[in-house]
Amino acid sequence: MGNSLLARFLPSEGTQCLLMPDYIIINDTLSMESVNQLMTLTPKIPEKVIVFIDHDTPNSSIEVGERQRKLINWAIEKNVRLEKCQGIGYLRLLETYVQPNQIIVGIGAHMAGLGAIGALGLTLDVTSLFKVLCEGTLVMSSPSITTIALKGSLKPHVTTQDAAFMLCEWIKKKHLENSLVVFMDRQDLTVGTRFDFCHFMEQAGTVSAFFTEEVLVTPQEFFLNEVEDVVALPDSDYKLAIAPIQPQIAVNEIFIGGCRGGKIEDLRAAAIILKGKRVSSKLHVIVAPATSTVYRQAIQEGLIDIFIDSGAVVMNQGCSVCWGKAQGILDAGEVLVSTGSYQYPGCSGDKDSKVYLVSPITAAKCAITGYL
């Protein structure tokens, strides 16, 4: 991909850079207060703005419907791009819009995932995002750069989600938060697997992450062959345990979906485990393809049939249970095993429920046994 992204926007640590984003992303996670503020604003460059209605779809309440309708009306009035109910915006950006070496700003904790194709995704607070919307530029300090070389290959039945969890822990142990992570390119990684690595770097506290062929600093090596099948424990800063957990934990709900677990390769991995089997009567299983494109592909490959035949519920494309506000809401004391991205108290229902984050393979195995 060359060095244009690093050379243009990250000249040296601490330098103030004037960035001109290629896209400005707004979605339906905005509060009503922020939506009302947005209604008073006019974008400087409308063709760079995309509004996504993707998190709470179909809308789960009258209030959500009102917020979404305001966003839709604003997008139409200001003549900006609008995507409704086509799936998770971060992945839709990769499917349809974003190109290598572009800069994209938005809200939400997954913008770094756009580094999967060599773009720079930056998460801003609402005030900063609205400022960029009106001015067309962003001023930021160039962060320190951490280059990572992914070495070796994963063991059988160990996934890139497991590797991303362990790499997140590795970043924190090395105190590399607040740096920009640059992954040395590997041609054997799909866009989906690269997304897992990049977006979880943001969860680890880095500025962002992306894959590139250029090496600016001596790379640190992370060995994929040392990765184990892991579980991110509830109510923790991604504290990990080796799967299976002992003693076993009874599970009430399984979620296979989200931007981490609803990509086509994730659904394939889960379907291999579930094919010809029935999910445990002790729980219910919710599957949500990440985007419309993924949904259609899953239908063509017979994956949806496998999920339905196993006793799972297949939901519409979108954030679903990971968003935690509309589908599969947990009661107090219930346990969710999820391929989503969050496990803080109350993220998928009652604050006294428990969420364990796993790979799609581990989630599918739990769906059959009823235990983690």
Side-chain angles (χ1 to χ4, degrees), residues 1 7 11 15 24 86 96 106 160 195 213-214 260 319 333 352 364:
M1 289 183 292
T15 302
I24 300 167
Q86 293 298 303
T96 307
T160 52
F195 179 89
E213 296 175 352
E214 186 186 15
R260 192 175 69 86
C319 293
D352 291 324

Side-chain angles (χ1 to χ4, degrees), residues 59-105:
N59 59 290
S60 59
S61 69
I62 294 174
E63 180 186 358
V64 170
E66 181 184 1
R67 283 194 283 114
Q68 291 180 347
R69 175 53 55 188
K70 287 185 175 183
L71 286 171
I72 291 168
N73 289 341
W74 181 83
I76 294 171
E77 177 188 346
K78 303 303 181 181
N79 195 30
V80 306
R81 290 184 180 92
L82 172 65
E83 282 221 356
K84 298 184 298 178
C85 306
Q86 293 298 303
I88 301 171
Y90 309 108
L91 296 178
R92 285 289 299 152
L93 286 166
L94 290 175
E95 289 178 349
T96 307
Y97 298 100
V98 177
Q99 298 296 320
N101 297 317
Q102 289 185 328
I103 291 181
I104 305 91
V105 298

Side-chain angles (χ1 to χ4, degrees), residues 304-321:
I304 301 302
D305 288 337
I306 291 172
F307 295 133
I308 292 175
D309 290 343
S310 75
V313 176
V314 180
M315 306 299 288
N316 57 284
Q317 61 276 49
C319 293
S320 190
V321 177

Side-chain angles (χ1 to χ4, degrees), residues 9-48:
F9 301 113
L10 302 164
S12 62
E13 183 179 350
T15 302
Q16 292 292 305
C17 292
L18 181 66
L19 309 183
M20 298 182 66
D22 295 278
Y23 288 110
I24 300 167
I25 307 306
I26 297 169
N27 63 37
D28 57 344
T29 62
L30 288 174
S31 67
M32 183 63 83
E33 180 183 2
S34 295
V35 169
N36 288 333
Q37 182 183 353
L38 178 66
M39 297 301 100
T40 67
L41 305 178
T42 297
K44 182 173 183 178
I45 311 175
E47 58 267 29
K48 289 187 175 183

Side-chain angles (χ1 to χ4, degrees), residues 14-326:
T15 302
Q16 292 292 305
C17 292
L18 181 66
L19 309 183
M20 298 182 66
D22 295 278
Y23 288 110
I24 300 167
I25 307 306
I26 297 169
N27 63 37
D28 57 344
T29 62
L30 288 174
S31 67
M32 183 63 83
E33 180 183 2
S34 295
V35 169
N36 288 333
Q37 182 183 353
L38 178 66
M39 297 301 100
T40 67
L41 305 178
T42 297
K44 182 173 183 178
I45 311 175
E47 58 267 29
K48 289 187 175 183
V49 181
I50 309 177
V51 172
F52 286 98
I53 307 297
D54 62 343
H55 278 66
D56 199 343
T57 56
N59 59 290
S60 59
S61 69
I62 294 174
E63 180 186 358
V64 170
E66 181 184 1
R67 283 194 283 114
Q68 291 180 347
R69 175 53 55 188
K70 287 185 175 183
L71 286 171
I72 291 168
N73 289 341
W74 181 83
I76 294 171
E77 177 188 346
K78 303 303 181 181
N79 195 30
V80 306
R81 290 184 180 92
L82 172 65
E83 282 221 356
K84 298 184 298 178
C85 306
Q86 293 298 303
I88 301 171
Y90 309 108
L91 296 178
R92 285 289 299 152
L93 286 166
L94 290 175
E95 289 178 349
T96 307
Y97 298 100
V98 177
Q99 298 296 320
N101 297 317
Q102 289 185 328
I103 291 181
I104 305 91
V105 298
I107 54 175
H110 307 298
M111 292 299 295
L114 304 179
I117 59 171
L120 178 62
L122 296 171
T123 297
L124 305 181
D125 58 48
V126 173
T127 299
S128 299
L129 184 70
F130 286 175
K131 190 172 188 295
V132 176
L133 181 74
C134 296
E135 298 178 359
T137 58
L138 170 68
V139 177
M140 65 174 288
S141 295
S142 296
S144 61
I145 296 174
T146 298
T147 301
I148 298 176
L150 300 172
K151 296 290 187 177
S153 300
L154 295 171
K155 301 171 185 176
H157 306 299
V158 174
T159 71
T160 52
Q161 284 96 341
D162 298 311
F165 275 135
M166 293 191 72
L167 184 56
C168 185
E169 186 177 65
W170 182 86
I171 287 284
K172 293 176 181 178
K173 286 180 178 178
K174 288 182 173 287
H175 305 292
L176 298 174
E177 300 96 327
N178 302 315
S179 67
L180 172 70
V181 171
V182 177
F183 287 107
M184 292 180 62
D185 204 9
R186 279 186 57 158
Q187 297 302 315
D188 59 328
L189 298 180
T190 66
V191 171
T193 57
R194 293 175 191 216
F195 179 89
D196 290 329
F197 283 117
C198 288
H199 107 271
F200 248 86
M201 292 301 89
E202 186 167 345
Q203 311 301 309
T206 70
V207 173
S208 191
F210 61 88
F211 280 80
T212 181
E213 296 175 352
E214 186 186 15
V215 180
L216 288 187
V217 297
T218 302
Q220 302 195 47
E221 297 179 336
F222 181 83
F223 293 92
L224 298 178
N225 53 292
E226 296 179 358
V227 173
E228 301 292 342
D229 186 3
V230 295
V231 177
L233 301 176
D235 309 340
S236 70
D237 192 15
Y238 297 110
K239 182 179 179 181
L240 303 180
I242 302 298
I245 293 177
Q246 297 296 334
Q248 291 183 326
I249 298 170
V251 179
N252 302 104
E253 180 174 305
I254 303 287
F255 174 56
I256 300 172
C259 58
R260 192 175 69 86
K263 304 181 296 298
I264 189 62
E265 50 262 74
D266 305 321
L267 300 186
R268 288 169 181 158
I272 288 173
I273 304 298
L274 292 173
K275 186 174 183 179
K277 299 181 176 66
R278 293 287 297 179
V279 304
S280 171
S281 60
K282 301 174 183 178
L283 50 74
H284 54 278
V285 179
I286 297 174
V287 179
T291 68
S292 298
T293 302
V294 172
Y295 210 133
R296 291 191 187 98
Q297 185 66 32
I299 292 172
Q300 292 173 6
E301 295 183 16
L303 306 182
I304 301 302
D305 288 337
I306 291 172
F307 295 133
I308 292 175
D309 290 343
S310 75
V313 176
V314 180
M315 306 299 288
N316 57 284
Q317 61 276 49
C319 293
S320 190
V321 177
C322 180
W323 170 238
K325 304 296 188 296

